[in-house]
Amino acid sequence: MSAAPAWSPGPAGESWQAAETAAGPWSPDRVHGGAVNALLGHLLGAVAADSRGELVRVTVDLLRPVPLEPLTARTHLLRDGRRYSVADATLCAGTPVARAAALFAVRDQTDDRTAESSPPLTPPEKCLPHREHAAWPSFNDEHLEIRFDPDPPDGLAAVAWVRPRTPLVAGSTPVCGVLAASDLLTGLSGGIGTDDRAALNVDSTVHLERSPRPGWIGIAAHPLVRLSGAPVAEGIVHDEHGRVGSVRQSTVLVPV
């Protein structure tokens, strides 16, 4: 089991190298989408570190397969305001391979009540450990600990609890864990394709109603409403203290 981070910075932090253990399930030469999400979250947090707000929304677009080779990072703070800020980040391997845009806002602290919109989740210690057992060391097995609820609450397709086994990036925050876990959503929703079609996760949008706390992150996935066309997976994000926000993923179906 790897103890090193999934990502290591190059000189001056302008390039990033994924560990071989950050590969995805499709190829040992391609970086897992969850690992890409985590790095983009780290970059966005760094570029907005001096802004007043907290991360409330991030959208990631996976533009093409991300190679397991040094990547150049570009970040911009597009707005730095008193109430909200906007930033973006792009990863390039000669050409852009992934990008993310984020909204940071000053949260309203006058009332901390939560209107729960999903049933309580089975705590992670009562869920079953899961491993993908890929043919090569992979991100989900080497860098994440994943547990599935064997009997998810009514109305949910599946529930997974996720926490990092290793630092995803040196100095990373719980937000990076949320973004890594969000890549599981389409599979949890039942959008894993068929014998003649494969489902590609090409984006994810996470809204955070409050900042996640360290520890386990839960993804409670709703069943897919539509199984053809361009299905959209939807889920609720939890930590061990309750609801944190929501996540959505577009699914592109391609022939196999």
Side-chain angles (χ1 to χ4, degrees), residues 176-195:
C176 296
V178 170
L179 295 177
S182 72
D183 189 68
L184 298 174
L185 176 64
T186 295
L188 294 173
S189 298
I192 56 174
T194 63
D195 290 340

Side-chain angles (χ1 to χ4, degrees), residues 70 88 124 247 253:
D88 68 14
V247 56
L253 300 175

Side-chain angles (χ1 to χ4, degrees), residues 91-139:
L91 296 174
C92 299
T95 189
V97 293
R99 67 176 184 180
L103 172 67
F104 297 81
V106 178
R107 299 185 191 276
D108 178 18
Q109 304 293 339
T110 60
D111 193 339
D112 197 32
R113 291 178 299 172
T114 299
E116 291 288 352
S117 62
S118 60
L121 302 185
T122 302
E125 61 269 16
K126 295 185 178 180
C127 294
L128 300 179
H130 169 78
R131 289 183 63 82
E132 291 185 345
H133 298 291
W136 46 80
S138 65
F139 178 71

Side-chain angles (χ1 to χ4, degrees), residues 28-101:
D29 301 320
R30 305 298 186 189
V31 183
H32 194 286
V36 176
N37 288 0
L39 177 58
L40 286 167
H42 176 75
L43 295 172
L44 290 166
V47 73
D50 295 329
S51 299
R52 294 178 178 85
E54 300 175 23
L55 182 67
V56 298
R57 189 264 300 151
V58 59
T59 295
V60 174
D61 291 304
L62 301 177
L63 305 176
R64 49 185 52 85
V66 178
L68 211 156
E69 61 185 52
L71 303 176
T72 302
R74 300 198 301 256
T75 59
H76 303 92
L77 186 59
L78 304 174
R79 170 190 163 92
D80 187 12
R82 291 189 302 116
R83 301 301 301 176
Y84 71 93
S85 301
V86 178
D88 68 14
T90 303
L91 296 174
C92 299
T95 189
V97 293
R99 67 176 184 180

Side-chain angles (χ1 to χ4, degrees), residues 24-25 32-35 37-38 62 128 130-132 138-141 143-149 157-164 176-192 199-206 216-222 224 233-237 247-251:
H32 194 286
N37 288 0
L62 301 177
L128 300 179
H130 169 78
R131 289 183 63 82
E132 291 185 345
S138 65
F139 178 71
N140 280 355
D141 281 347
H143 294 280
L144 300 181
E145 182 178 359
I146 302 174
R147 291 175 172 263
F148 282 159
D149 184 349
V159 174
W161 286 98
V162 182
R163 68 177 175 185
C176 296
V178 170
L179 295 177
S182 72
D183 189 68
L184 298 174
L185 176 64
T186 295
L188 294 173
S189 298
I192 56 174
L200 301 181
N201 298 342
V202 297
D203 78 344
S204 56
T205 296
V206 175
W216 291 95
I217 295 298
I219 303 294
H222 297 296
L224 285 177
E234 299 179 295
I236 306 299
V237 181
V247 56
R248 294 167 63 95
Q249 275 189 320
S250 303
T251 302

